Amino acid sequence: GTGIKKIDKTSYEIIDVPYSEGSYISGACGFSALLKVKNKNRIILVEDGSAYPFFHEVYNPDTNIVTTKKASDIGLNKIKFAVSSDDFYYFVGSDENNNCKVVKVDPVTYQYEYLLSDGEYDVYNLTVSKNSIVFNALRMSDGAIVMGRINNNGNIKILDDKLENLVTVLERIN
């Protein structure tokens, strides 16, 4: 629904999480992801599918309130999808000129940086690991389906530009 509740881990009591002033969750739009950033102790709910996409910080141990943020707060006009790592959120979306952008966001300060922003690629898959980001995209200049890597320094390297299949990266969890 339009409310957020949490379960107290000792008493199992269900508690309403209050909203900050001006924050809301519409419930009418699609929700594409619930993202957790383990090392920074934050959780957001990404709302897309609307003309005005939002994401909502639903867990912040410092405030214990829901705070709504606009896609424009991180330099996007639309959100296509989002993923997270142990330390950051990554949003794939577009600006007002419909150029695809990949944005890395710090979940505590909401400072952001563009990893891809020139509209050269239309990213449709993104996998994050500790050392790099691997993406699949359509290269706009020639229509090639590519697999690329963005390292921790922000350098982009195209690994393959003759792809016909989607690449999946598996990560050990134990």
Side-chain angles (χ1 to χ4, degrees), residues 34-38 41-44 84-86 88-89:
L34 185 65
L35 302 177
K36 178 181 180 181
V37 176
K38 183 173 85 173
N41 218 8
R42 300 290 197 274
I43 301 173
I44 62 168
S84 63
S85 68
D86 288 345
F88 297 99
Y89 300 123

Side-chain angles (χ1 to χ4, degrees), residues 128-168:
V128 180
S129 72
K130 291 181 183 182
N131 299 322
S132 64
I133 298 164
V134 176
F135 64 92
N136 293 100
L138 175 67
R139 187 167 49 204
M140 302 306 284
S141 62
D142 62 1
I145 297 172
V146 302
M147 177 176 69
R149 175 179 287 136
I150 305 169
N151 68 17
N152 288 337
N153 296 328
N155 298 323
I156 301 166
K157 179 179 181 182
I158 299 303
L159 303 172
D160 192 342
D161 63 359
K162 297 174 179 46
L163 286 180
E164 294 182 14
N165 297 314
L166 183 67
V167 175
T168 301

